Amino acid sequence: MIEKHIILEDIDPVVFYGVSNVHLQMIKSLFPKVRIVARDNVIRVLGDEEQIAKLEEDVEKLRKHIVRYNTISEEDILDIVNGRQAKADSVKGVLVYSVSGRPIKSRSENQQQLVDAFNKNDMVFAVGPAGTGKTYLSIALAVKALKEKSIKRIILSRPAVEAGEKLGFLPGDMKDKIDPYLQPLYDALEDMIPTVKLQDMMDKHQIQIAPLAFMRGRTLNDAIVILDEAQNTTTAQIRMFLTRLGWNSKMIITGDMTQIDLPHNQKSGLKEALSILSNTEGIGVVNLDQKDIVRHKLVTRIVTAYEAFDKAKQEQ
């Protein structure tokens, strides 16, 4: 009889154990000769060395399954323990899976161009109207890289356009004031990483979300760095941000030229950066349009209507 401790790393133990420990009870029934006691992310096992070795091997397979799919079923557990092939990717090109097990992948030709540009370049500009998936897909690419351990952290940033007097009137500390601007980034992450695991990764600074002003002076190594809503950066801000790129890192800069919220006397830093850097080696530029919109069908119609209005206004 020997005793071992198995550590569940990179997953939410609640997903592994199941609701009311139903998964854990199934594992115990499949290994009747091994005593299994679980607490938090540590599984204490006592029994025959050969049986424990088999349990360790299967637990690791189950853990990898959850890392990949964010979920696991009783059927998956039976398949893995009995040596059968568990759920396989039936959809090609999947980047990651949502917390509900939904495959996340490119859904249009231009979205696939974004994926390809990311794989080929260290810096990518993704420009297009609301709803084209540029931010969501960028975060999926970053989460995939973090899960595969090709990077050590994800850094997400947005300009807080109203920083200053208006922001000062909001209640709470600086985090409370800034968080509303960053909420779309939290929303995407919460769709791809279980809540408990996401909080743990943020506590360990594996995932960092910060306003653009907090990037000054940093060198960002071993990271995927995403700047969202870059159309609202000034020339100085985006220049500062782009020069933060460090070793073994990639940057994705997203923006929508039709939603510039800067004062009329300020030029969009994104617009200027594209004119300066679009032909620079190692930088990819992807333009998305209304054909790539993956939100409610009305969003496509709204974008199209406004584009027609803007065009008519320019022709007057």
Coordinates of all heavy atoms in Angstrom, one line a residue, residues 91-175:
V91 N -14.9 20.0 -35.4 CA -14.9 21.3 -36.2 C -13.4 21.6 -36.4 O -12.7 21.7 -35.4 CB -15.6 22.4 -35.4 CG1 -15.6 23.7 -36.3 CG2 -17.1 22.0 -35.1
K92 N -13.0 21.9 -37.6 CA -11.6 22.2 -37.9 C -11.4 23.7 -37.5 O -12.3 24.5 -37.6 CB -11.3 22.0 -39.3 CG -11.3 20.5 -39.7 CD -10.9 20.4 -41.2 CE -10.8 18.9 -41.6 NZ -10.4 18.7 -43.0
G93 N -10.1 24.0 -37.1 CA -9.8 25.4 -36.9 C -10.2 25.9 -35.5 O -10.2 27.2 -35.3
V94 N -10.6 25.1 -34.6 CA -11.0 25.6 -33.3 C -9.8 26.1 -32.5 O -8.7 25.5 -32.5 CB -11.6 24.4 -32.4 CG1 -11.9 24.9 -31.0 CG2 -12.8 23.9 -33.1
L95 N -10.0 27.3 -32.0 CA -8.9 28.0 -31.2 C -9.0 27.5 -29.8 O -8.0 27.0 -29.2 CB -9.0 29.5 -31.3 CG -8.9 30.1 -32.7 CD1 -9.2 31.6 -32.7 CD2 -7.5 29.8 -33.3
V96 N -10.1 27.8 -29.1 CA -10.4 27.4 -27.8 C -11.9 27.0 -27.7 O -12.6 27.2 -28.6 CB -10.0 28.5 -26.7 CG1 -8.6 28.7 -26.7 CG2 -10.8 29.7 -27.0
Y97 N -12.2 26.5 -26.5 CA -13.7 26.2 -26.3 C -14.2 27.1 -25.2 O -13.4 27.5 -24.2 CB -13.8 24.7 -25.8 CG -13.7 23.8 -27.0 CD1 -12.5 23.4 -27.5 CD2 -14.9 23.3 -27.6 CE1 -12.4 22.5 -28.6 CE2 -14.8 22.4 -28.7 CZ -13.5 22.1 -29.2 OH -13.4 21.2 -30.3
S98 N -15.4 27.5 -25.3 CA -16.0 28.4 -24.3 C -16.3 27.6 -23.0 O -16.1 26.3 -23.0 CB -17.4 28.9 -24.8 OG -18.3 27.9 -24.8
V99 N -16.7 28.2 -21.9 CA -16.9 27.6 -20.7 C -18.1 26.5 -20.8 O -18.2 25.6 -20.0 CB -17.2 28.6 -19.5 CG1 -16.0 29.4 -19.2 CG2 -18.4 29.5 -19.9
S100 N -18.9 26.7 -21.8 CA -20.0 25.8 -22.0 C -19.6 24.7 -23.0 O -20.4 23.8 -23.3 CB -21.2 26.5 -22.5 OG -21.0 27.1 -23.7
G101 N -18.4 24.7 -23.5 CA -17.9 23.7 -24.4 C -18.1 24.1 -25.9 O -17.9 23.2 -26.8
R102 N -18.6 25.3 -26.2 CA -18.8 25.7 -27.6 C -17.5 26.0 -28.2 O -16.6 26.8 -27.7 CB -19.7 27.0 -27.5 CG -19.9 27.6 -28.9 CD -20.9 28.8 -28.8 NE -20.4 29.7 -27.8 CZ -19.5 30.7 -28.0 NH1 -19.0 30.9 -29.1 NH2 -19.2 31.5 -27.0
P103 N -17.3 25.5 -29.5 CA -16.0 25.8 -30.2 C -15.9 27.3 -30.6 O -16.9 27.8 -31.1 CB -16.0 24.9 -31.4 CG -17.5 24.5 -31.6 CD -18.1 24.6 -30.2
I104 N -14.8 27.9 -30.4 CA -14.5 29.3 -30.8 C -13.5 29.3 -31.9 O -12.4 28.8 -31.7 CB -14.1 30.1 -29.6 CG1 -15.1 30.2 -28.5 CG2 -13.7 31.5 -30.1 CD1 -14.7 30.8 -27.2
K105 N -13.9 29.8 -33.1 CA -13.0 29.8 -34.2 C -13.4 30.9 -35.1 O -14.4 31.6 -34.9 CB -13.2 28.4 -35.0 CG -14.6 28.2 -35.6 CD -14.7 26.9 -36.2 CE -13.9 26.7 -37.5 NZ -14.5 27.5 -38.6
S106 N -12.6 31.1 -36.2 CA -12.9 32.2 -37.1 C -14.2 31.8 -37.8 O -14.5 30.6 -38.1 CB -11.8 32.3 -38.2 OG -11.6 31.1 -38.9
R107 N -15.1 32.8 -38.2 CA -16.4 32.5 -38.8 C -16.5 33.2 -40.1 O -17.7 33.3 -40.6 CB -17.5 32.9 -37.8 CG -17.4 32.0 -36.5 CD -18.4 32.5 -35.5 NE -19.8 32.5 -35.9 CZ -20.8 32.8 -35.2 NH1 -20.6 33.3 -34.0 NH2 -22.1 32.8 -35.7
S108 N -15.5 33.8 -40.6 CA -15.6 34.4 -41.9 C -14.2 34.5 -42.5 O -13.2 34.2 -41.8 CB -16.1 35.9 -41.8 OG -15.1 36.7 -41.1
E109 N -14.1 34.8 -43.8 CA -12.8 34.8 -44.5 C -11.8 35.8 -43.9 O -10.7 35.6 -43.6 CB -13.0 35.2 -46.0 CG -11.7 35.1 -46.8 CD -12.0 35.4 -48.3 OE1 -13.1 35.3 -48.7 OE2 -11.0 35.7 -49.0
N110 N -12.4 37.0 -43.5 CA -11.5 38.1 -42.9 C -11.1 37.7 -41.5 O -10.0 38.0 -41.1 CB -12.2 39.4 -43.0 CG -12.3 40.0 -44.4 OD1 -11.4 39.7 -45.2 ND2 -13.3 40.8 -44.6
Q111 N -12.0 37.0 -40.8 CA -11.6 36.6 -39.4 C -10.5 35.6 -39.5 O -9.5 35.6 -38.7 CB -12.8 36.0 -38.7 CG -13.8 37.1 -38.2 CD -14.8 36.5 -37.3 OE1 -14.8 35.3 -37.0 NE2 -15.7 37.3 -36.8
Q112 N -10.5 34.7 -40.5 CA -9.4 33.7 -40.7 C -8.1 34.4 -41.1 O -7.1 34.0 -40.7 CB -9.8 32.7 -41.8 CG -8.8 31.6 -42.0 CD -8.5 30.8 -40.7 OE1 -9.5 30.4 -40.0 NE2 -7.2 30.6 -40.4
Q113 N -8.3 35.5 -41.9 CA -7.1 36.3 -42.2 C -6.4 36.9 -40.9 O -5.2 36.9 -40.9 CB -7.5 37.5 -43.1 CG -7.7 37.1 -44.6 CD -7.9 38.2 -45.5 OE1 -7.6 39.4 -45.2 NE2 -8.5 38.0 -46.6
L114 N -7.3 37.2 -40.0 CA -6.7 37.7 -38.7 C -5.9 36.6 -38.0 O -4.8 36.8 -37.5 CB -7.9 38.2 -37.8 CG -7.5 38.6 -36.3 CD1 -6.4 39.6 -36.3 CD2 -8.8 39.1 -35.6
V115 N -6.5 35.4 -38.0 CA -5.8 34.2 -37.4 C -4.5 34.0 -38.1 O -3.4 33.8 -37.5 CB -6.7 33.0 -37.4 CG1 -5.9 31.8 -36.9 CG2 -8.0 33.2 -36.6
D116 N -4.5 34.0 -39.4 CA -3.3 33.7 -40.2 C -2.3 34.8 -40.0 O -1.1 34.5 -39.9 CB -3.7 33.6 -41.7 CG -4.5 32.4 -42.0 OD1 -4.6 31.5 -41.2 OD2 -5.2 32.4 -43.1
A117 N -2.7 36.1 -40.0 CA -1.8 37.2 -39.8 C -1.1 37.1 -38.4 O 0.1 37.4 -38.2 CB -2.5 38.5 -39.9
F118 N -1.9 36.7 -37.4 CA -1.3 36.5 -36.0 C -0.2 35.4 -36.0 O 0.8 35.6 -35.4 CB -2.5 36.1 -35.1 CG -2.0 35.8 -33.7 CD1 -1.7 36.8 -32.7 CD2 -1.8 34.5 -33.3 CE1 -1.3 36.5 -31.5 CE2 -1.4 34.1 -32.0 CZ -1.1 35.1 -31.1
N119 N -0.5 34.4 -36.8 CA 0.5 33.3 -36.8 C 1.8 33.6 -37.5 O 2.8 33.1 -37.3 CB -0.1 32.0 -37.5 CG -1.2 31.4 -36.6 OD1 -1.2 31.5 -35.4 ND2 -2.2 30.8 -37.2
K120 N 1.7 34.6 -38.5 CA 2.8 35.0 -39.3 C 3.6 36.2 -38.8 O 4.7 36.4 -39.2 CB 2.3 35.2 -40.7 CG 1.8 34.0 -41.4 CD 1.2 34.4 -42.8 CE 0.6 33.2 -43.5 NZ 0.0 33.6 -44.8
N121 N 2.9 37.0 -38.0 CA 3.5 38.3 -37.6 C 3.6 38.4 -36.1 O 2.8 37.8 -35.3 CB 2.7 39.4 -38.2 CG 2.7 39.4 -39.7 OD1 3.6 39.8 -40.4 ND2 1.6 38.9 -40.2
D122 N 4.5 39.3 -35.6 CA 4.5 39.6 -34.2 C 3.6 40.8 -33.8 O 3.4 41.0 -32.6 CB 6.0 40.0 -33.8 CG 6.9 38.7 -33.8 OD1 6.3 37.6 -33.6 OD2 8.1 38.9 -33.9
M123 N 3.1 41.5 -34.8 CA 2.2 42.6 -34.5 C 1.1 42.6 -35.6 O 1.4 42.5 -36.8 CB 2.9 43.9 -34.5 CG 2.0 45.1 -34.1 SD 3.0 46.7 -34.0 CE 4.0 46.4 -32.6
V124 N -0.1 42.7 -35.2 CA -1.3 42.7 -36.1 C -2.2 43.8 -35.8 O -2.6 44.0 -34.6 CB -2.0 41.4 -36.1 CG1 -3.2 41.4 -37.0 CG2 -1.1 40.2 -36.4
F125 N -2.6 44.6 -36.8 CA -3.7 45.6 -36.6 C -5.0 45.0 -37.2 O -5.0 44.5 -38.4 CB -3.4 46.9 -37.4 CG -2.3 47.7 -36.8 CD1 -0.9 47.4 -37.0 CD2 -2.6 48.7 -35.9 CE1 0.1 48.2 -36.5 CE2 -1.6 49.5 -35.3 CZ -0.2 49.2 -35.6
A126 N -6.0 44.9 -36.4 CA -7.3 44.4 -36.9 C -8.3 45.6 -36.8 O -8.7 46.0 -35.7 CB -7.8 43.3 -36.0
V127 N -8.8 46.0 -38.0 CA -9.6 47.2 -38.1 C -11.0 46.9 -38.7 O -11.0 46.2 -39.7 CB -8.9 48.3 -38.9 CG1 -9.8 49.6 -38.9 CG2 -7.6 48.6 -38.3
G128 N -12.1 47.3 -38.1 CA -13.4 47.0 -38.6 C -14.5 47.5 -37.7 O -14.2 47.9 -36.6
P129 N -15.7 47.5 -38.2 CA -16.8 48.0 -37.4 C -17.2 47.1 -36.3 O -16.7 46.0 -36.1 CB -18.0 48.1 -38.5 CG -17.6 47.0 -39.5 CD -16.1 47.1 -39.6
A130 N -18.1 47.6 -35.4 CA -18.6 46.9 -34.3 C -19.2 45.5 -34.7 O -19.9 45.4 -35.7 CB -19.7 47.7 -33.5
G131 N -18.9 44.5 -33.9 CA -19.5 43.2 -34.1 C -18.8 42.3 -35.1 O -19.3 41.1 -35.3
T132 N -17.6 42.7 -35.6 CA -16.9 41.8 -36.5 C -16.0 40.8 -35.8 O -15.3 40.0 -36.5 CB -16.0 42.7 -37.4 OG1 -15.3 43.6 -36.7 CG2 -16.9 43.5 -38.4
G133 N -16.0 40.8 -34.5 CA -15.3 39.7 -33.7 C -13.8 40.0 -33.5 O -13.1 39.1 -33.1
K134 N -13.4 41.2 -33.8 CA -11.9 41.4 -33.8 C -11.4 41.3 -32.4 O -10.3 40.7 -32.2 CB -11.6 42.8 -34.4 CG -12.4 44.0 -33.9 CD -12.2 45.2 -34.7 CE -12.9 46.4 -34.1 NZ -14.4 46.2 -34.1
T135 N -12.1 41.9 -31.4 CA -11.6 41.8 -30.0 C -11.8 40.3 -29.5 O -10.8 39.8 -28.9 CB -12.4 42.7 -29.1 OG1 -12.2 44.1 -29.6 CG2 -11.9 42.6 -27.7
Y136 N -12.9 39.8 -29.7 CA -13.2 38.4 -29.2 C -12.2 37.4 -29.7 O -11.7 36.6 -29.0 CB -14.7 38.0 -29.5 CG -15.2 36.8 -28.9 CD1 -15.7 36.9 -27.6 CD2 -15.2 35.6 -29.5 CE1 -16.2 35.7 -26.9 CE2 -15.7 34.4 -28.9 CZ -16.2 34.5 -27.6 OH -16.7 33.4 -27.0
L137 N -12.0 37.4 -31.0 CA -11.1 36.5 -31.7 C -9.7 36.7 -31.2 O -8.9 35.8 -31.0 CB -11.2 36.7 -33.2 CG -10.7 35.5 -34.1 CD1 -11.5 34.2 -33.8 CD2 -10.8 35.8 -35.6
S138 N -9.3 38.0 -31.0 CA -7.9 38.3 -30.5 C -7.7 37.7 -29.2 O -6.7 37.1 -28.9 CB -7.7 39.8 -30.5 OG -7.8 40.4 -31.8
I139 N -8.7 37.8 -28.3 CA -8.6 37.2 -26.9 C -8.6 35.7 -27.0 O -7.8 35.1 -26.3 CB -9.7 37.8 -26.0 CG1 -9.5 39.3 -25.8 CG2 -9.8 37.0 -24.7 CD1 -10.6 39.9 -25.0
A140 N -9.3 35.1 -27.9 CA -9.3 33.7 -28.1 C -7.9 33.2 -28.5 O -7.4 32.2 -28.0 CB -10.3 33.2 -29.1
L141 N -7.2 33.9 -29.4 CA -5.9 33.6 -29.8 C -4.9 33.7 -28.6 O -4.0 32.9 -28.5 CB -5.4 34.6 -30.9 CG -6.0 34.3 -32.3 CD1 -5.8 35.6 -33.2 CD2 -5.4 33.1 -33.0
A142 N -5.1 34.7 -27.8 CA -4.2 34.9 -26.6 C -4.5 33.8 -25.6 O -3.5 33.2 -25.0 CB -4.5 36.2 -26.0
V143 N -5.7 33.4 -25.3 CA -6.0 32.3 -24.4 C -5.5 31.0 -24.9 O -4.9 30.2 -24.1 CB -7.6 32.2 -24.2 CG1 -7.9 31.0 -23.4 CG2 -8.1 33.5 -23.5
K144 N -5.6 30.8 -26.2 CA -5.0 29.5 -26.8 C -3.5 29.5 -26.5 O -2.9 28.5 -26.1 CB -5.3 29.5 -28.3 CG -4.7 28.3 -29.0 CD -5.1 28.3 -30.5 CE -4.6 27.1 -31.2 NZ -3.1 27.0 -31.4
A145 N -2.8 30.6 -26.7 CA -1.3 30.6 -26.5 C -1.0 30.4 -25.1 O 0.0 29.7 -24.7 CB -0.8 32.0 -27.0
L146 N -1.8 31.0 -24.2 CA -1.5 30.8 -22.7 C -1.8 29.4 -22.3 O -1.0 28.8 -21.5 CB -2.4 31.8 -21.9 CG -2.1 31.9 -20.4 CD1 -0.7 32.4 -20.2 CD2 -3.1 32.8 -19.7
K147 N -2.8 28.8 -22.8 CA -3.1 27.4 -22.5 C -2.0 26.4 -23.0 O -1.7 25.4 -22.3 CB -4.5 26.9 -23.1 CG -5.7 27.4 -22.3 CD -6.9 26.8 -22.8 CE -8.1 27.1 -21.9 NZ -9.3 26.3 -22.2
E148 N -1.4 26.8 -24.1 CA -0.4 26.0 -24.7 C 1.0 26.3 -24.1 O 2.0 25.7 -24.5 CB -0.4 26.2 -26.3 CG -1.6 25.6 -26.9 CD -1.7 25.9 -28.4 OE1 -0.8 26.7 -28.9 OE2 -2.5 25.3 -29.1
K149 N 1.0 27.3 -23.2 CA 2.2 27.7 -22.5 C 3.3 28.2 -23.5 O 4.5 28.2 -23.1 CB 2.8 26.5 -21.7 CG 1.8 26.0 -20.6 CD 2.5 25.0 -19.7 CE 1.5 24.4 -18.7 NZ 0.9 25.3 -17.8
S150 N 2.9 28.7 -24.6 CA 3.9 29.4 -25.5 C 4.2 30.8 -25.0 O 5.2 31.4 -25.5 CB 3.4 29.4 -26.9 OG 2.2 30.1 -27.0
I151 N 3.4 31.3 -24.1 CA 3.6 32.6 -23.5 C 3.3 32.4 -22.0 O 2.7 31.4 -21.6 CB 2.7 33.7 -24.0 CG1 1.2 33.3 -23.9 CG2 3.1 34.1 -25.5 CD1 0.2 34.4 -24.1
K152 N 3.7 33.4 -21.2 CA 3.4 33.3 -19.8 C 2.3 34.2 -19.3 O 1.8 34.0 -18.2 CB 4.7 33.8 -19.0 CG 5.9 32.8 -19.2 CD 7.1 33.3 -18.5 CE 8.3 32.3 -18.7 NZ 9.5 32.8 -17.9
R153 N 1.8 35.2 -20.1 CA 0.8 36.0 -19.6 C 0.1 36.7 -20.8 O 0.6 36.8 -21.9 CB 1.3 37.1 -18.7 CG 2.5 37.9 -19.3 CD 3.1 38.9 -18.3 NE 4.3 39.5 -18.9 CZ 4.8 40.6 -18.4 NH1 4.3 41.3 -17.4 NH2 5.9 41.1 -19.0
I154 N -1.1 37.2 -20.5 CA -1.9 38.0 -21.4 C -2.1 39.3 -20.8 O -2.4 39.5 -19.6 CB -3.3 37.3 -21.6 CG1 -3.2 35.9 -22.3 CG2 -4.2 38.2 -22.5 CD1 -4.6 35.2 -22.3
I155 N -1.9 40.4 -21.6 CA -2.0 41.7 -21.2 C -3.0 42.4 -22.1 O -2.9 42.5 -23.3 CB -0.7 42.5 -21.2 CG1 0.3 41.8 -20.2 CG2 -0.9 44.0 -20.7 CD1 1.7 42.3 -20.3
L156 N -4.1 42.9 -21.5 CA -5.2 43.5 -22.2 C -5.3 45.0 -21.8 O -5.3 45.3 -20.6 CB -6.5 42.8 -22.0 CG -6.5 41.3 -22.2 CD1 -7.9 40.7 -21.8 CD2 -6.3 41.0 -23.7
S157 N -5.5 45.9 -22.8 CA -5.6 47.3 -22.5 C -6.6 48.0 -23.4 O -6.8 47.6 -24.5 CB -4.2 47.9 -22.6 OG -4.2 49.3 -22.1
R158 N -7.1 49.1 -22.8 CA -8.0 50.0 -23.6 C -7.7 51.4 -23.1 O -7.4 51.6 -21.9 CB -9.5 49.7 -23.2 CG -10.2 48.7 -24.2 CD -11.6 48.7 -23.8 NE -12.4 48.1 -24.9 CZ -13.7 48.2 -25.0 NH1 -14.4 49.0 -24.2 NH2 -14.3 47.6 -26.0
P159 N -7.9 52.4 -24.0 CA -7.8 53.8 -23.6 C -9.1 54.1 -22.8 O -10.2 53.8 -23.3 CB -7.6 54.6 -24.9 CG -8.3 53.7 -25.9 CD -8.0 52.3 -25.5
A160 N -8.9 54.8 -21.7 CA -10.1 55.3 -21.0 C -10.3 56.8 -21.5 O -9.7 57.7 -21.0 CB -9.9 55.3 -19.5
V161 N -11.1 56.9 -22.5 CA -11.2 58.1 -23.2 C -11.6 59.3 -22.3 O -11.2 60.4 -22.5 CB -12.3 58.0 -24.4 CG1 -12.5 59.3 -25.1 CG2 -11.8 56.9 -25.4
E162 N -12.5 59.0 -21.3 CA -13.0 60.1 -20.5 C -12.1 60.3 -19.2 O -12.6 60.9 -18.3 CB -14.4 59.9 -20.1 CG -15.4 60.0 -21.3 CD -16.8 59.8 -21.0 OE1 -17.1 59.3 -19.9 OE2 -17.7 60.1 -21.8
A163 N -10.9 59.7 -19.2 CA -10.0 59.8 -18.0 C -9.8 61.3 -17.8 O -9.6 62.1 -18.6 CB -8.7 59.1 -18.3
G164 N -9.9 61.7 -16.5 CA -9.7 63.1 -16.1 C -10.9 63.5 -15.3 O -11.3 62.9 -14.3
E165 N -11.5 64.7 -15.6 CA -12.5 65.2 -14.7 C -13.7 64.3 -14.6 O -14.2 64.0 -13.6 CB -12.9 66.6 -15.2 CG -11.9 67.7 -15.0 CD -12.4 69.0 -15.3 OE1 -13.4 69.1 -16.1 OE2 -11.8 70.0 -14.8
K166 N -14.2 63.8 -15.8 CA -15.4 63.0 -15.8 C -15.2 61.7 -15.0 O -16.1 61.3 -14.2 CB -15.9 62.7 -17.2 CG -16.4 63.9 -18.0 CD -16.9 63.5 -19.3 CE -17.4 64.7 -20.1 NZ -17.8 64.3 -21.5
L167 N -14.0 61.1 -15.2 CA -13.7 59.9 -14.5 C -13.7 60.1 -13.0 O -14.1 59.3 -12.2 CB -12.4 59.3 -15.0 CG -12.1 57.9 -14.7 CD1 -13.1 56.9 -15.3 CD2 -10.7 57.5 -15.1
G168 N -13.2 61.3 -12.6 CA -13.0 61.6 -11.2 C -14.3 61.7 -10.5 O -14.4 61.5 -9.2
F169 N -15.4 62.0 -11.2 CA -16.7 62.1 -10.5 C -17.3 60.7 -10.2 O -18.3 60.7 -9.5 CB -17.7 62.9 -11.3 CG -17.4 64.4 -11.3 CD1 -16.9 65.1 -12.4 CD2 -17.5 65.1 -10.1 CE1 -16.6 66.5 -12.3 CE2 -17.2 66.5 -10.0 CZ -16.8 67.1 -11.1
L170 N -16.8 59.7 -10.8 CA -17.3 58.3 -10.6 C -17.0 57.9 -9.2 O -15.9 58.2 -8.7 CB -16.8 57.3 -11.6 CG -17.2 57.5 -13.1 CD1 -16.4 56.6 -14.0 CD2 -18.7 57.3 -13.2
P171 N -17.9 57.1 -8.5 CA -17.6 56.7 -7.1 C -16.5 55.6 -7.1 O -16.3 54.9 -8.1 CB -18.9 56.1 -6.7 CG -19.6 55.7 -7.9 CD -19.2 56.7 -9.0
G172 N -15.9 55.4 -5.9 CA -15.0 54.3 -5.8 C -13.5 54.6 -6.0 O -13.2 55.8 -6.3
D173 N -12.6 53.6 -5.8 CA -11.2 53.8 -6.1 C -10.9 53.8 -7.6 O -11.8 53.7 -8.4 CB -10.4 52.8 -5.3 CG -10.7 51.3 -5.7 OD1 -11.3 51.1 -6.8 OD2 -10.4 50.4 -4.9
M174 N -9.6 53.8 -7.9 CA -9.2 53.9 -9.3 C -9.7 52.6 -10.1 O -10.2 52.7 -11.2 CB -7.7 54.0 -9.4 CG -7.2 54.1 -10.9 SD -8.0 55.4 -11.8 CE -7.3 56.9 -11.1
K175 N -9.6 51.4 -9.5 CA -10.1 50.2 -10.1 C -11.6 50.3 -10.4 O -12.1 50.0 -11.5 CB -9.9 49.0 -9.3 CG -10.2 47.7 -10.0 CD -9.9 46.5 -9.1 CE -10.1 45.2 -9.8 NZ -11.5 45.0 -10.3

